[in-house]
Amino acid sequence: MKQDMIVILDLGSTENTAIARQIRDLGVYSEIHPHDITPEELGRLENVKGIILNGGENRVVDGAAVDIDPALYQCGHPMMAIDHPTAKCQKILSVLPERELLKEFVFDICKAQANWNMKNFIEDQVELIRKQVGDRKVLLALSGGVDSSVVAAMLIKAIGQQLVCVHVNHGLMRKNESESVIEVFKNQLHANLIYVDATDRFLGKLEGVADPEQKRKIIGGEFIRVFEEEARKLEGIDFLGQGTIYPDIIESGTKTAKMVKSHHNVGGLPEDLKFELVEPLKQLFKDEVRACGVELGLPESMVYRQPFPGPGLGVRCLGAITRDRLEAVRESDAILREEFEKAGLDKKVWQYFTVVPDFKSVGVKNNARCFDYMVIIRAINTVDAMSATVERVDWDVLGRITDRILAEVGNVCRVCYDMSPKPPATIEFE
């Protein structure tokens, strides 16, 4: 079923995503488009029922107020203006609309149907993927993260064995992460999966490297090289699957807003690897991506997994990475996640993990002096990742976690809890 759409035209507002979310929460699909969209471009959008002109503090660009093409007023769609007074619109508001006002515009004026749901979204995307790909093949880098996993499940549903997934284990994964990817996608979903164990290759490149930025560049660059090598072995692949989601596009900047962070569609792949992109999640917010994954039948442990940095445990094994400290991070992280789940904190706390610094401290084991590493636990809550507060974990829970880490993780004699909010601290240590 084609879903009705309300188009938001960005005339400098900082509330575009908030309004889009409110409309989607009403069960109607909504997209954000630039203020200078042409009537032809608008005409190519399907099932548009109404338009919101969304002005705001960024409306003045280079000394002049931005506006829409006057021809759009003749497009025949109902319009509502927010902080953009004009007599040509059927409804005028000066502030962020309340839910009831939005409902009136969306349903009473635009006559939109509340048919935005994951079942319909998946059906639409499957149809679009099949139309785009035909009988050709799609290549996907499957990290095991939420976005790439949901894209993989979507593509498997749409084109089955025409999808080729490449999972690169760089040795910096969390405990049993690669095994979980293989179990779900190869054994349960019967995906065409290529598994590459590049642990020794990555750790060899990282040997002796302590600078965090250099570590990130090595890990990112080597991942691209491994993926490129696997891609060149394959024939007849014309498409690259991407886990691009809506915030990625929005954060890349608009014509009235500054860039938050750049969005690289092909992850820095070489130019001679010519692929057409397949991005079925590019209009979904993160929580919608998770809902899509659940609807597609992915296990909750995969759909609701913790945010995880691209360089993996490489930025949680502080300083130059060594195998013994990397293993200490991996094992202590697994204990932390297991105990948080038992205590019901896994759904309450936004992100939690362990790090191991590159220095040792004096301790006592088996009635003798030892000189071992420490494990630092970090657990924080945030809405937008721009600031964060520390979770006040119950002492009994922290006690159980500490006892297990000290008993089960080798080369560790001390456990600490990080009490630093962001700012001044960051979420990750490196």
Side-chain angles (χ1 to χ4, degrees):
M1 176 188 287
K2 293 296 181 186
Q3 294 158 105
D4 290 348
M5 185 198 305
I6 301 295
V7 172
I8 298 170
L9 297 186
D10 176 20
L11 286 98
S13 175
T14 57
E15 301 288 351
N16 292 314
T17 55
I19 296 173
R21 292 307 307 267
Q22 286 186 56
I23 295 170
R24 291 189 187 189
D25 287 345
L26 294 173
V28 178
Y29 183 56
S30 180
E31 281 184 10
I32 303 163
H33 287 271
H35 68 276
D36 57 357
I37 189 172
T38 65
E40 292 74 25
E41 289 169 333
L42 181 68
R44 287 195 287 271
L45 300 176
E46 295 187 5
N47 287 33
V48 175
K49 295 296 182 181
I51 298 171
I52 292 175
L53 309 181
N54 198 23
E57 61 192 62
N58 296 321
R59 193 178 166 206
V60 176
V61 178
D62 297 328
V66 299
D67 211 336
I68 65 171
D69 185 331
L72 289 179
Y73 291 117
Q74 311 303 321
C75 68
H77 296 304
M79 289 187 177
M80 177 169 74
I82 302 171
D83 191 28
H84 178 64
T86 168
K88 294 179 181 178
C89 297
Q90 292 191 20
K91 194 83 180 171
I92 298 174
L93 298 173
S94 59
V95 293
L96 182 66
E98 296 179 2
R99 187 179 178 88
E100 290 306 311
L101 291 171
L102 267 183
K103 282 176 70 175
E104 180 187 339
F105 177 72
V106 170
F107 297 118
D108 297 344
I109 297 174
C110 298
K111 309 297 183 187
Q113 292 185 47
N115 53 16
W116 163 244
N117 58 59
M118 276 307 133
K119 187 172 182 296
N120 289 342
F121 172 79
I122 292 168
E123 287 177 3
D124 285 351
Q125 289 303 315
V126 165
E127 182 183 330
L128 289 170
I129 292 166
R130 288 172 179 166
K131 190 181 296 183
Q132 181 185 8
V133 173
D135 59 358
R136 293 176 290 173
K137 291 183 179 178
V138 180
L139 182 65
L140 175 70
L142 177 57
S143 67
V146 178
D147 302 335
S148 72
S149 296
V150 175
V151 167
M154 178 89 76
L155 289 167
I156 290 167
K157 182 178 179 67
I159 57 173
Q161 292 297 300
Q162 291 167 243
L163 172 68
V164 181
C165 297
V166 177
H167 176 67
V168 179
N169 180 0
H170 48 30
L172 306 168
M173 311 288 282
R174 289 181 289 197
K175 189 172 184 179
N176 297 327
E177 206 142 31
S178 287
E179 291 85 349
S180 173
V181 169
I182 293 168
E183 171 59 29
V184 171
F185 287 98
K186 190 162 192 170
N187 300 341
Q188 295 178 23
L189 299 179
H190 310 293
N192 187 357
L193 176 65
I194 297 169
Y195 172 70
V196 183
D197 187 349
T199 299
D200 292 340
R201 176 171 172 170
F202 275 84
L203 295 186
K205 294 277 185 182
L206 289 163
E207 190 171 351
V209 178
D211 179 73
E213 280 307 304
Q214 197 178 349
K215 284 160 67 175
R216 286 177 180 272
K217 286 176 181 174
I218 290 171
I219 294 165
E222 201 62 23
F223 181 88
I224 289 168
R225 279 188 280 276
V226 174
F227 186 73
E228 176 190 0
E229 288 167 15
E230 294 303 319
R232 294 194 193 284
K233 295 176 188 176
L234 304 167
E235 294 182 359
I237 294 184
D238 298 310
F239 298 91
L240 180 69
Q242 278 285 117
T244 309
I245 65 174
Y246 211 21
D248 295 334
I249 296 171
I250 295 167
E251 287 178 348
S252 292
T254 70
K255 293 167 184 175
T256 59
K258 293 180 180 178
M259 181 182 72
V260 178
K261 61 181 178 182
S262 60
H263 168 60
H264 303 287
N265 274 346
V266 293
L269 289 174
E271 288 183 8
D272 59 338
L273 282 179
K274 301 293 185 184
F275 294 116
E276 185 181 330
L277 292 178
V278 180
E279 300 176 299
L281 307 182
K282 66 182 179 181
Q283 298 297 345
L284 294 187
F285 293 100
K286 192 72 173 188
D287 61 319
E288 294 170 336
V289 173
R290 296 187 196 278
C292 184
V294 171
E295 183 69 29
L296 285 164
L298 289 176
E300 281 204 3
S301 58
M302 185 168 281
V303 171
Y304 289 98
R305 79 191 287 262
Q306 284 271 298
F308 195 51
L313 299 181
V315 292
R316 296 176 181 173
C317 184
L318 306 185
I321 297 170
T322 59
R323 290 183 184 250
D324 60 340
R325 284 193 302 111
L326 183 59
E327 196 57 28
V329 176
R330 196 179 341 262
E331 292 298 325
S332 60
D333 177 79
I335 291 169
L336 177 67
R337 286 188 287 131
E338 194 176 304
E339 290 298 328
F340 263 41
E341 184 178 356
K342 286 180 185 175
L345 293 170
D346 56 322
K347 296 290 194 300
K348 181 188 175 192
V349 183
W350 187 80
Q351 190 168 11
Y352 46 94
F353 55 88
T354 62
V355 300
V356 177
D358 58 346
F359 58 85
K360 295 182 177 181
S361 66
V362 175
V364 178
K365 282 186 178 179
N366 301 318
N367 298 316
R369 179 186 184 277
C370 66
F371 194 51
D372 285 332
Y373 297 113
M374 71 170 63
V375 168
I376 302 171
I377 297 170
R378 184 135 173 85
I380 55 98
N381 289 308
T382 180
V383 174
D384 55 10
M386 301 302 292
S387 62
T389 58
V390 176
E391 175 68 19
R392 296 180 180 275
V393 180
D394 183 84
W395 279 109
D396 289 340
V397 175
L398 282 177
R400 285 196 299 274
I401 294 168
T402 300
D403 290 345
R404 284 195 59 190
I405 289 174
L406 294 176
E408 299 173 33
V409 182
N411 301 322
V412 171
C413 67
R414 201 176 290 262
V415 176
C416 301
Y417 190 71
D418 182 1
M419 292 295 295
S420 316
K422 178 183 178 178
T426 54
I427 292 174
E428 296 286 344
F429 275 61
E430 289 190 341

